[in-house]
Amino acid sequence: MKTMSCKELGGPCDSKVSANTWHEMVQKMTKHVITNHPATAKEMEKMHNKDPKKWGKIYKPKWDAAPEIE
Ligand SMILES: [Zn+2]
């Protein structure tokens, strides 16, 4: 299990998002952003439409670097 903040994942708040896999993190973060930050969700959608791999390229290394916690 790893925990990252919304901010570390490109969002505007300090909410923590925990997940066991990167895939799960992406799903939780996407849901969090759509629910809490509609404007950010739009920005991320634009980024995704331009280059679907860009978000992962930026934030996956941060996930990899985050410490594993129980
Ligand atoms: Zn947030």
Side-chain angles (χ1 to χ4, degrees):
M1 173 84 83
K2 291 184 180 189
T3 300
M4 290 178 78
S5 70
C6 175
K7 246 182 200 160
E8 287 176 302
L9 292 162
C13 82
D14 287 315
S15 287
K16 302 288 181 197
V17 185
S18 300
N20 290 304
T21 62
W22 168 243
H23 184 70
E24 193 186 342
M25 176 60 87
V26 171
Q27 284 183 330
K28 285 194 177 178
M29 180 58 186
T30 303
K31 208 175 165 192
H32 170 83
V33 167
I34 290 170
T35 308
N36 299 284
H37 318 299
T40 306
K42 245 185 205 158
E43 286 304 310
M44 286 181 176
E45 197 190 337
K46 259 192 235 164
M47 192 200 271
H48 184 83
N49 288 340
K50 252 192 224 163
D51 179 359
K53 293 203 167 77
K54 192 176 174 189
W55 195 83
K57 258 186 228 160
I58 297 170
Y59 297 108
K60 174 81 161 48
K62 297 190 185 194
W63 162 265
D64 288 336
E68 191 78 39
I69 50 161
E70 293 300 318

